[in-house]
Amino acid sequence: MTYAIIETGGKQLRVEPGRFYDIELLHVEPEQNVTIDKVLFVNHDGEISIGQPLVEGATVQGTVMRHFRDRKIIVYKMQPKKKTRKKRGHRQEKTRLMIDAISMNGSVLASVSKPEEAPISAETAPEAPATEAPATQETAETAPE
């Protein structure tokens, strides 16, 4: 099992290839690739690399899936006995990032192999099941012996 700990948006995050993560907003268009160089730790089948503070030559490649806004956060400030109340809220901008590969010194340690899509033709298209009229009991009883 291969995973890495990266830093993005001021937060540290444990990432694995083939999974998606919601991180702080990246100013990249959807469906574009992103390379993250701030890798703090890499574990590849029990072989670990710890950075001081970053692992030299380690990168994480990902694809931006989409941008969205997170759930609303409500901030309520109140001073007792002063009749002072403030209610504010906001929604944080987020980016959904799919991790494609973890690389170390140019060699790919772990990646997600994308399945090749076969074109659908008349030969490979699934056929609809043929429906037959169910036999009724009346026809079975009235059949001559």
Side-chain angles (χ1 to χ4, degrees):
M1 175 183 193
T2 302
Y3 67 91
I5 297 176
I6 62 171
E7 181 183 345
T8 178
K11 298 174 180 65
Q12 296 177 4
L13 189 66
R14 180 183 190 263
V15 295
E16 297 176 15
R19 302 186 89 184
F20 65 85
Y21 300 92
D22 296 336
I23 60 174
E24 298 293 322
L25 182 68
L26 296 176
H27 296 287
V28 178
E29 294 296 320
E31 303 299 325
Q32 286 189 347
N33 294 332
V34 175
T35 301
I36 298 172
D37 297 328
K38 292 185 178 183
V39 180
L40 306 171
F41 180 88
V42 176
N43 182 356
H44 177 59
D45 297 331
E47 180 182 325
I48 62 172
S49 301
I50 301 173
Q52 297 177 2
L54 301 175
V55 177
E56 294 295 325
T59 59
V60 174
Q61 289 83 24
T63 304
V64 173
M65 295 173 70
R66 67 184 184 112
H67 301 293
F68 64 97
R69 295 178 74 191
D70 206 6
R71 298 178 68 172
K72 182 174 259 190
I73 297 172
I74 297 175
V75 180
Y76 187 75
K77 297 181 181 180
M78 183 183 105
Q79 292 181 349
K81 302 178 186 174
K82 303 291 184 194
K83 295 186 179 179
T84 306
R85 290 173 175 84
K86 291 182 184 176
K87 184 176 179 183
R88 301 276 189 259
H90 70 282
R91 294 178 67 184
Q92 197 70 27
E93 299 287 332
K94 295 281 187 174
T95 297
R96 182 157 287 175
L97 180 70
M98 172 67 87
I99 302 300
D100 296 328
I102 298 174
S103 302
M104 184 82 137
N105 295 326
S107 64
V108 176
L109 299 179
S111 67
V112 177
S113 59
K114 296 183 180 179
E116 297 292 326
E117 293 184 17
I120 297 177
S121 63
E123 298 170 358
T124 61
E127 294 187 21
T131 57
E132 296 180 13
T136 59
Q137 290 187 1
E138 293 177 14
T139 57
E141 293 175 3
T142 59
E145 295 181 10

